Amino acid sequence: AVVRSLKNLVMTNHYERPFHPEIGCNVRAMLFDNIMPSTADSINHAIVETIENFEPRVRLTDVRVTAKPDEHGYYVTIEFFVINATTARRIQFFLERIR
């Protein structure tokens, strides 16, 4: 449930959830910028800020966003501990623009 929640937070835009416009990461808007390391840093910062603000069940250890210009997107790796769990978890996914 926590892994799905993290992916939902990252993929949700601001103003997408009714009555909670502040929830979301707005990463999809950044996918239309040029694929550069500075854009990867902006995405990284947005992901970290969103998870720290809206997912209290998670303690982040690392977030890595790697730009892949040849594949027209970014690889995202999020490493975290679920609160009261002893093992670290990791999720990986690829962000790309749809249109």
Side-chain angles (χ1 to χ4, degrees):
V2 173
V3 171
R4 189 70 218 157
S5 174
L6 290 177
K7 287 178 101 174
N8 282 340
L9 276 174
V10 170
M11 298 307 296
T12 301
N13 285 327
H14 293 294
Y15 300 99
E16 194 170 310
R17 290 199 181 168
F19 305 107
H20 289 287
E22 72 281 359
I23 295 177
C25 194
N26 221 25
V27 167
R28 286 191 275 170
M30 291 184 228
L31 295 177
F32 288 93
D33 294 343
N34 290 332
I35 298 177
M36 301 170 52
S38 62
T39 307
D41 290 340
S42 297
I43 292 172
N44 189 340
H45 178 70
I47 290 172
V48 168
E49 184 177 323
T50 300
I51 292 172
E52 287 178 348
N53 288 337
F54 299 112
E55 187 51 81
R57 300 175 290 178
V58 168
R59 184 173 49 91
L60 284 176
T61 57
D62 190 25
V63 176
R64 289 187 303 273
V65 178
T66 307
K68 295 293 184 181
D70 294 337
E71 298 174 28
H72 307 291
Y74 299 89
Y75 280 108
V76 177
T77 303
I78 302 172
E79 295 178 0
F80 61 95
F81 283 96
V82 176
I83 301 297
N84 295 330
T86 58
T87 58
R89 301 285 310 261
R90 175 189 302 175
I91 59 173
Q92 297 176 332
F93 51 93
F94 186 71
L95 290 174
E96 62 183 340
R97 58 182 183 228
I98 296 176
R99 296 184 146 235

